[in-house]
Amino acid sequence: MGELALLIEGLVKSSGISRKKDIKPLLQTFPWDRASMLDPIGDDAAVLSVPDGYLLMSCDGIMTEL
């Protein structure tokens, strides 16, 4: 296996990536429309346009290893 393949495999298996899977149920629970988001990429926050202004949704996970 080449160096790039090993790097990719390591990243995919890392806790920094795998722990992001925990937010998938939330994404399926709350309706959201990427077109109405001011910053659709967002990392720990999202700005949503709502009828009377904007809504900021934010959270952050703390890694116990820290």
Side-chain angles (χ1 to χ4, degrees), residues 23 26 37 42-48 55-61:
I23 67 170
L26 293 174
M37 297 173 67
D43 181 18
D44 293 328
V47 180
L48 307 172
L55 175 66
L56 175 64
M57 304 231 9
S58 176
C59 73
D60 194 5

Side-chain angles (χ1 to χ4, degrees), residues 14-49:
S14 74
S15 65
I17 300 294
S18 64
R19 70 186 181 97
K20 300 288 185 180
K21 295 176 184 174
D22 294 339
I23 67 170
K24 188 173 184 178
L26 293 174
L27 292 175
Q28 295 171 338
T29 300
F30 296 105
W32 60 289
D33 175 17
R34 292 179 73 84
S36 69
M37 297 173 67
L38 295 177
D39 180 12
I41 295 173
D43 181 18
D44 293 328
V47 180
L48 307 172
S49 179

Side-chain angles (χ1 to χ4, degrees), residues 1-8:
M1 185 179 291
E3 287 185 41
L4 180 58
L6 287 171
L7 175 62
I8 292 170

